[in-house]
């Protein structure tokens, strides 16, 4: 069973370090993912309609690795851990979409990590 959740602009969906019990699909609106460490905060990405979040901590059985904040009024479809795991086990299409989404995020992160190196090498 799933449910909808509405966040107003500026509301936090989850905090870095929270226990992960749900994953979300953005039906409308935008979410900003922010990672904090040693007093510094970095925006990891902005997610929009049709994108998903919260799956990584469920898959790895870890705490939330970042904070998720609505940057505008946002409607989310909420999947409890058990339902999400059931969908992955029983639907190859959904599992493939999750894997594809994780791969795209990894590629983007790798590109961002390489930017400072490229700038330093050019000098």
């Amino acid at each position: 069973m799933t449910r909808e959740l509405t966040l107003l602009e500026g509301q936090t969906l989850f905090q870095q370090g929270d226990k992960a019990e749900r994953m979300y699909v953005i039906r409308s609106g935008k979410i900003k993912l922010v990672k904090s460490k040693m007093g510094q905060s970095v925006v990891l990405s902005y997610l929009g309609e049709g994108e998903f979040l919260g799956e990584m901590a469920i898959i790895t059985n870890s705490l939330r690795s970042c904070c998720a904040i609505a940057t505008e009024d946002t409607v989310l479809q909420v999947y409890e851990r058990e339902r999400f795991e059931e969908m992955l086990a029983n639907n190859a299409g959904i599992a493939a979409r999750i894997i594809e989404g994780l791969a795209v995020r990894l590629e983007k992160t790798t590109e961002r990590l390489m930017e400072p190196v490229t700038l330093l090498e050019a000098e």
Side-chain angles (χ1 to χ4, degrees), residues 70-89:
T71 59
E72 59 186 61
D73 292 354
T74 300
V75 178
L76 303 153
Q77 192 71 36
V78 181
Y79 295 86
E80 299 294 329
R81 173 188 290 273
E82 297 79 21
R83 176 70 177 123
F84 174 63
E85 290 173 343
E86 179 183 301
M87 288 186 326
L88 288 180

